Amino acid sequence: MDNGEETVHSGEEERGRGERRSGWVGLYFDQAGEPMTLMEWVMKFEDDEYQRIAETWVGKYRVSTVWLGLNHSSLPGLPLIFETMVFDESVEVVTIIGGETRSYHPDVDQERYSTRAQAERGHAEMVKRIQEGKKYGESGES
């Protein structure tokens, strides 16, 4: 019986099926973690201000945190819709794919998150890790 109230799933269901408050499972999510359609995602993805969470330069490294909106998790649980990547801007890789020349800067570290708050904290932690000279996977413990 539908009484007009929003269905709230238990934490176990949320972790087990990747559901959010709306109870909808999907691939596309806004920054609040609410499901969205493909067309809604396309419109937001083209909005640089909506997509960019933070960008910080540390010497030759560019630390970039963005909203992806597309669930990058292959496991049950909350969707991974934010990403921090570190690029080494001192190295340029040139490839030829299908006759088209492309260049890019290799990524040297990456983390993904479910919420904007996690992404903002993760960005700050990544910047600190780079400032301390730690490489991917190094915890800093001796």
Side-chain angles (χ1 to χ4, degrees):
M1 182 167 108
D2 183 19
N3 59 9
E5 293 181 9
E6 185 176 11
T7 303
V8 178
H9 298 281
S10 72
E12 186 61 36
E13 287 175 316
E14 187 169 314
R15 284 190 303 276
R17 295 192 312 211
E19 296 187 28
R20 302 298 275 193
R21 286 188 301 269
S22 65
W24 190 84
V25 177
L27 291 176
Y28 308 102
F29 297 87
D30 66 15
Q31 284 194 11
E34 291 298 322
M36 60 194 320
T37 67
L38 172 61
M39 289 310 297
E40 291 169 328
W41 174 81
V42 167
M43 296 298 289
K44 291 291 187 187
F45 196 78
E46 291 178 346
D47 181 347
D48 290 339
E49 288 183 34
Y50 188 86
Q51 189 181 23
R52 177 144 331 271
I53 305 303
E55 183 175 62
T56 306
W57 285 83
V58 181
K60 67 180 184 174
Y61 298 106
R62 181 171 57 93
V63 182
S64 172
T65 300
V66 297
W67 165 81
L68 301 168
L70 176 66
N71 184 7
H72 280 71
S73 177
S74 59
L75 302 173
L78 296 176
L80 296 176
I81 56 174
F82 296 90
E83 177 179 73
T84 296
M85 293 188 78
V86 179
F87 299 94
D88 182 345
E89 297 290 332
S90 70
V91 176
E92 184 174 17
V93 177
V94 178
T95 61
I96 300 175
I97 299 173
E100 183 177 329
T101 302
R102 298 181 183 179
S103 66
Y104 63 93
H105 301 282
D107 58 284
V108 294
D109 208 342
Q110 172 204 24
E111 294 288 340
R112 290 190 175 141
Y113 320 95
S114 295
T115 68
R116 183 178 177 122
Q118 290 171 344
E120 289 170 347
R121 280 192 307 274
H123 182 90
E125 290 168 5
M126 188 73 75
V127 167
K128 182 178 179 190
R129 189 160 68 200
I130 298 300
Q131 288 171 334
E132 293 173 350
K134 295 179 183 147
K135 295 182 179 125
Y136 179 74
E138 285 185 339
S139 64
E141 298 174 11
S142 299

